[in-house]
Amino acid sequence: MEARHLRYALALAEHAHFGRAAGALGIAQPPLSKQIADLEREVGARLFDRTRRGVFPTAAGEAFLARARRALGEMTAAASDAGRAARGETGRLRLGFIASALLEPLPVVLGRFGRARPDVRLELHEMATSRSTAALVAGELDVAVTLGYPRGAGAEHLVSVPIGHDHLVAVVSTAHPYAGRPSVTVDQLRHQRLIVASGEDEPAISAGLRALLGEDAAALCGATVARDVHTIIGLAASGVGVGLGPSRMAAAPRPGTWLCEVTPRTPLPDLVLSFAPSERSPVLHAFLDVIRRSCPDVGAALDHRLDHRPDHGPSHRPDPRPVHRPNPPRT
């Protein structure tokens, strides 16, 4: 039994006449009569009464037609669902991200993606770089936004592209002596109580701070460790000390705080988007298209990484210099 048999039976029931049903189906009457007879033999019951007034379903035919309508409906829905999934209009996307990405650029990216793909289920997980990298390698995430390029076992197999650049700033309460100043120097920071992100979760932070302030800097030894950029800002607003974080903190000003540039200007590790090159998910590719439109200069870099996957030529790994250069923390 094939789908055409169901369509033929439904057309015959609708038109109550072999000739009219055949015309509606675009076939000749004899093949239709034969197909209905074959269907009845396969079912093992007479589905239609042939009378002078027309052709009408039997009790068995009514039961068969009810199921046939549902079956064809399900087949149509299945084809539609398959098409939508192939276009990335349904499914799920598991995204791990660091907190500072919620300042820029994730609000724009997630907003555009949600409007374009309202039926995609977004599973969002705030994670430190070390944990999101491990989850991405393990297949627990589809994509991750990290501070700096992923490191550790399996990270070399990921496709990674920078989606944001930043530099170090200091945040203080409006009651702090630095409030109102346009900038503070690195030497001044060495004599302040600092608030920094966890070096365990963000290894680039620890290495960058040591390079900036010195391995044995007293300010580092007594620093308050915060979970994310929002906590750094909150603690600074409370007068706990001088918070160090990315300049994108200016995108979310908080009453009672003041941002100072750090001189000399100190670049931070790039904000990096990574995913597994073997991932063929249409949803992921739809998300990457939104990234291309939302983040300047990302499109060409992303296409370059994809064109240099291991199965298409040279390694996709980024230039290691951004990974290994000493950088101060970013949250």
Side-chain angles (χ1 to χ4, degrees):
M1 187 183 305
E2 301 177 14
R4 61 189 171 89
H5 294 115
L6 307 185
R7 289 194 294 270
Y8 291 170
L10 288 170
L12 184 56
E14 178 183 356
H15 294 282
H17 189 277
F18 275 102
R20 290 193 294 270
L25 292 167
I27 63 175
Q29 179 175 333
L32 175 60
S33 299
K34 182 179 184 304
Q35 292 293 328
I36 294 297
D38 290 343
L39 177 62
E40 290 177 321
R41 279 194 297 272
E42 183 174 352
V43 172
R46 183 165 49 84
L47 302 178
F48 292 93
D49 282 330
R50 286 79 165 167
T51 72
R52 292 182 178 181
R53 295 183 295 106
V55 182
F56 304 99
T58 63
E62 292 288 2
F64 178 86
L65 292 170
R67 292 279 187 177
R69 290 187 186 93
R70 291 197 291 270
L72 284 177
E74 285 297 314
M75 292 174 67
T76 300
S80 174
D81 289 349
R84 297 187 67 211
R87 294 187 296 270
E89 296 174 3
T90 60
R92 69 172 180 173
L93 183 76
R94 300 167 298 172
L95 170 65
F97 60 92
I98 61 169
S100 64
L102 287 177
L103 300 175
E104 290 179 349
L106 279 188
V108 171
V109 171
L110 293 178
R112 288 179 176 174
F113 185 77
R115 290 189 293 273
R117 298 288 191 275
D119 293 327
V120 170
R121 186 172 76 255
L122 279 172
E123 296 182 5
L124 305 175
H125 307 276
E126 182 187 341
M127 290 183 170
T129 294
S130 57
R131 288 187 288 122
S132 63
T133 297
L136 190 58
V137 171
E140 298 168 0
L141 293 176
D142 300 306
V143 62
V145 177
T146 61
L147 175 63
Y149 288 93
R151 303 182 186 184
E156 69 277 9
H157 300 303
L158 300 175
V159 173
S160 299
V161 61
I163 60 172
H165 312 287
D166 222 325
H167 63 277
L168 186 68
V169 298
V171 57
V172 297
S173 75
T174 50
H176 193 279
Y178 290 169
R181 296 188 183 185
S183 64
V184 295
T185 67
V186 170
D187 187 60
Q188 289 174 316
L189 292 176
R190 291 191 179 98
H191 304 285
Q192 293 293 319
R193 184 175 181 183
L194 301 180
I195 308 166
V196 300
S198 167
E200 180 179 354
D201 288 337
E202 303 293 348
I205 291 178
S206 181
L209 274 180
R210 288 196 302 269
L212 182 68
L213 300 174
E215 288 284 343
D216 301 319
L220 285 181
C221 295
T224 298
V225 177
R227 186 175 67 89
D228 57 38
V229 63
H230 307 289
T231 305
I232 289 176
I233 296 172
L235 290 175
S238 301
V240 171
V242 178
L244 296 179
S247 56
R248 66 167 49 91
M249 290 192 299
R254 174 169 176 159
T257 61
W258 179 267
L259 289 181
C260 303
E261 294 288 331
V262 174
T263 57
R265 189 182 180 95
T266 305
L268 291 175
D270 290 333
L271 201 63
V272 175
L273 179 138
S274 300
F275 57 94
S278 58
E279 177 57 59
R280 307 294 184 183
S281 165
V283 172
L284 173 60
H285 287 282
F287 183 75
L288 296 179
D289 286 340
V290 173
I291 289 287
R292 286 184 175 93
R293 297 195 300 271
S294 304
C295 302
D297 305 321
V298 169
L302 181 58
D303 292 338
H304 175 75
R305 295 289 189 267
L306 290 173
D307 288 342
H308 288 74
R309 291 176 293 176
D311 56 342
H312 288 81
S315 170
H316 68 273
R317 291 183 65 186
D319 185 336
R321 288 173 294 177
V323 178
H324 298 295
R325 68 173 183 261
N327 284 306
R330 186 181 195 169
T331 59

